[in-house]
Amino acid sequence: MSRASGLRGRIALVTGAAGGIGEAVVRLLREEGASVVATDLGAPRLEGKDVWPAALDVTDSAAVDALIDRVEQEWGAIDCGVNVAGILSTDTVVETTDTTWRRVFAVNTDGVFHVSRALARHMVRRRRGSLVTVGSNAAGIPRHAMAAYAASKAAATMFTRCLGLELAPLGIRCNIVAPGSTLTPMQTGMWADEHGAARVIAGQPERFKSGIPLGKLATPDDVADAVLFLLSDRAGHITMADLYVDGGATLR
Ligand code: NAI
């Protein structure tokens, strides 16, 4: 990827960086020579001159603005942003409480808005930058017991596309990566019974794989590779795209 990725020496901000996909995005960005502001609810445990670990709750717009302003002043211009933070609800609609609905939208939709807006305010001045939102293939097709999650991801996806349209005249690109089932704590949590993630319900991984033409779940690196491509100069003429990384599940 390094031949023309253009990521070497750039600064990227990643949310949800302590999770399965976020960790992979941070690792691959560093391998490409980028410096990374790695954020999550608690600061990720990372060390090195090329990483700034920070605690950041994406639902707190004032905290988002403050961190991004601080990084811009003390570290340099943030060239790339990756919205990875997200939470899942698998309640049916009749089970979904107001609190759950609002929480899912607060993280998955409002969080993407807060972070993208704060980054865009700096990027428009420089007329340079690239954003990627990790959406979901659940945003495109109705799923059982996923109304809040799928709706929040559909909103984040359309928001990112509209932002891409606004920023395109400035050369700033905004894209979406839509993973299918990916082997992370979020996914394995769905397979756990009510006693916790340690006990995976028999047959669940096989049931998920059977719906995927490529016959396997995505790894976090599969998703991170797509994120890095869209962030990079190799995707220089791609904006408002929604790249599915789901082994063909959506089109089967
Ligand atoms: P994960 O649960 O391993 O990581 C999510 C991270 O987001 C966690 O580290 C968590 O602390 C962080 N987070 C939660 N609320 C936050 C908040 N308010 N502020 C900041 N950080 C917060 O999950 P995974 O699988 O790595 O998911 C990453 C993204 O990929 C999510 O947006 C998820 O919806 C999406 N995705 C995941 C799929 C999967 O099968 N694992 C499939 C499709 C999409």
Side-chain angles (χ1 to χ4, degrees):
M1 153 87 70
S2 56
R3 180 174 56 82
S5 78
L7 291 169
R8 181 162 295 283
R10 293 210 179 142
I11 296 179
L13 182 136
V14 181
T15 70
I21 291 170
E23 181 279 330
V25 170
V26 170
R27 179 167 35 79
L28 296 193
L29 278 167
R30 295 176 81 187
E31 282 174 19
E32 282 294 316
S35 297
V36 184
V37 185
T39 74
D40 206 300
L41 287 172
R45 290 199 198 134
L46 294 166
E47 285 178 9
K49 278 195 226 157
D50 61 338
V51 65
W52 177 331
L56 182 67
D57 181 343
V58 296
T59 67
D60 181 346
S61 81
V64 168
D65 289 347
L67 177 69
I68 288 171
D69 287 349
R70 195 174 149 215
V71 172
E72 288 266 338
Q73 279 164 20
E74 295 180 19
W75 225 33
I78 303 172
D79 307 290
C80 303
V82 191
N83 291 301
V84 185
I87 57 170
L88 178 68
S89 164
T90 54
D91 292 343
T92 63
V93 171
V94 296
E95 292 166 346
T96 300
T97 62
D98 291 359
T99 306
T100 298
W101 179 269
R102 290 197 190 111
R103 184 70 196 158
V104 169
F105 271 76
V107 179
N108 296 357
T109 312
D110 300 4
V112 170
F113 165 59
H114 297 150
V115 172
S116 305
R117 178 183 62 180
L119 290 173
R121 283 176 172 159
H122 289 281
M123 289 175 174
V124 294
R125 289 203 295 273
R126 296 189 285 269
R127 305 173 76 88
R128 192 181 82 226
S130 177
L131 292 167
V132 170
T133 294
V134 176
S136 170
N137 71 348
I141 31 171
R143 301 221 169 195
H144 184 72
M146 279 216 182
Y149 178 76
S152 72
K153 288 292 187 177
T157 297
M158 183 52 81
F159 164 79
T160 304
R161 285 186 149 150
C162 291
L163 181 64
L165 183 63
E166 286 184 20
L167 301 184
L170 304 174
I172 299 166
R173 299 180 300 100
C174 303
N175 290 291
I176 302 106
V177 168
S181 300
T182 307
L183 277 167
T184 70
M186 181 182 281
Q187 182 67 46
T188 51
M190 282 175 70
W191 299 335
D193 65 15
E194 68 274 18
H195 301 293
R199 286 164 50 187
V200 170
I201 296 172
Q204 281 284 57
E206 284 66 33
R207 191 172 67 76
F208 272 78
K209 281 185 210 166
S210 69
I212 302 172
L214 283 182
K216 57 189 171 68
L217 273 67
T219 64
D221 281 21
D222 289 330
V223 179
D225 278 333
V227 170
L228 259 73
F229 166 66
L230 288 171
L231 282 180
S232 80
D233 292 349
R234 289 189 169 183
H237 203 50
I238 303 177
T239 194
M240 296 179 264
D242 189 0
L243 178 54
Y244 278 56
V245 182
D246 69 351
T250 299
L251 296 177
R252 74 187 187 276

